Amino acid sequence: SQQGEEDPQALSIQEGENATMNCSYKTSINNLQWYRQNSGRGLVHLILIRSNEREKHSGRLRVTLDTSKKSSSLLITASRAADTASYFCATATYSGAGSYQLTFGKGTKLSVIP
Amino acid sequence: GAGVSQTPSNKVTEKGKYVELRCDPISGHTALYWYRQSLGQGPEFLIYFQGTGAADDSGLPNDRFFAVRPEGSVSTLKIQRTERGDSAVYLCASSSGGRGTYQETQYFGPGTRLLVL
């Protein structure tokens, strides 16, 4: 089953604009991670935010987490054509033996038009 | 070092056949995960290994699916009597395990696209 729900399902913007994607989830989490996927193949890890953190930055990425609302957002600033991809949020819950199970949403398909 | 690798990249088989999908994790990573991703969906968890043992196989859809990791490194996902509904991209990920941003991050391979005719 998929816990996270990304919103919007698809987003089309002009190069240079900012892109915001949202994710909502249902259960308690240890951390939340955002991934990018090109052409339906391997996922690239972008950023991890812990349940006790509210905001995190990495380059042009800004992630927020609101555990009271069970929601997160990913902001990509000054978008580039190369940012065109599907973006997934994944909630991590501790599954024992030192590891975490990820539950993914359906993703947001971002298109950046040059 | 090298990332997670998966072979084959693509696999076409006929309904009822047996297939094996291989995953080679990042060297030293003790945790290994298998996911399945259907078209237009996010990856769904299948099974997780800590070392050689399957610590959580709750995501395996039925007993046609089985995975092994005999030496705690390479893993093989095995699907018996394949069905058309098994067609998907099968993703493998590994992590070093434990606490910390790096340890909790899962690193994914490129996936194997399975098509059952």
Side-chain angles (χ1 to χ4, degrees):
Chain A
S1 63
Q2 305 201 282
Q3 165 162 235
E5 289 289 335
E6 284 91 343
D7 168 52
Q9 292 186 354
L11 179 61
S12 184
I13 59 173
Q14 295 288 329
E15 200 166 30
E17 293 180 338
N18 295 341
T20 300
M21 288 160 267
N22 303 296
C23 168
S24 60
Y25 58 93
K26 296 173 185 168
T27 64
S28 296
I29 61 172
N30 293 97
N31 65 64
L32 186 145
Q33 304 180 32
W34 284 90
Y35 286 82
R36 184 184 73 213
Q37 185 177 44
N38 292 84
S39 305
R41 298 309 289 260
L43 286 92
V44 174
H45 181 261
L46 295 176
I47 197 164
L48 178 155
I49 186 165
R50 298 186 175 287
S51 60
N52 61 355
E53 296 177 311
R54 292 296 165 258
E55 188 171 310
K56 205 161 184 180
H57 297 255
S58 177
R60 293 184 297 113
L61 306 180
R62 173 179 170 254
V63 169
T64 62
L65 179 64
D66 186 335
T67 53
S68 67
K69 295 181 180 177
K70 291 188 168 59
S71 68
S72 174
S73 68
L74 171 68
L75 169 68
I76 304 174
T77 60
S79 64
R80 304 167 182 168
D83 294 330
T84 295
S86 290
Y87 291 82
F88 293 90
C89 73
T91 52
T93 52
Y94 187 63
S95 54
S99 197
Y100 297 81
Q101 184 177 125
L102 292 181
T103 305
F104 286 83
K106 293 186 179 181
T108 292
K109 196 165 185 177
L110 174 66
S111 298
V112 181
I113 303 164
Chain B
V4 178
S5 61
Q6 292 185 246
T7 54
S9 297
N10 296 280
K11 177 71 178 178
V12 181
T13 191
E14 293 178 343
K15 180 178 176 235
K17 298 289 188 183
Y18 167 83
V19 296
E20 289 190 352
L21 312 178
R22 176 189 165 108
C23 172
D24 204 336
I26 291 172
S27 178
H29 279 191
T30 57
L32 185 146
Y33 308 78
W34 283 99
Y35 294 84
R36 179 170 71 173
Q37 185 176 22
S38 300
L39 195 63
Q41 303 292 314
E44 291 190 301
F45 170 79
L46 294 177
I47 186 170
Y48 149 59
F49 287 89
Q50 180 62 35
T52 59
D56 183 353
D57 64 358
S58 61
L60 293 178
N62 52 59
D63 60 7
R64 295 187 297 105
F65 288 74
F66 189 71
V68 296
R69 194 186 185 198
E71 298 178 357
S73 178
V74 171
S75 175
T76 305
L77 178 66
K78 308 180 180 192
I79 311 174
Q80 299 178 317
R81 305 183 303 280
T82 51
E83 298 177 358
R84 292 195 181 90
D86 298 335
S87 297
V89 176
Y90 289 81
L91 295 162
C92 175
S94 71
S95 72
S96 64
R99 297 282 295 181
T101 300
Y102 172 76
Q103 293 86 338
E104 294 169 39
T105 298
Q106 293 186 20
Y107 297 90
F108 282 78
T112 293
R113 190 181 300 276
L114 175 67
L115 177 61
V116 182
L117 299 176

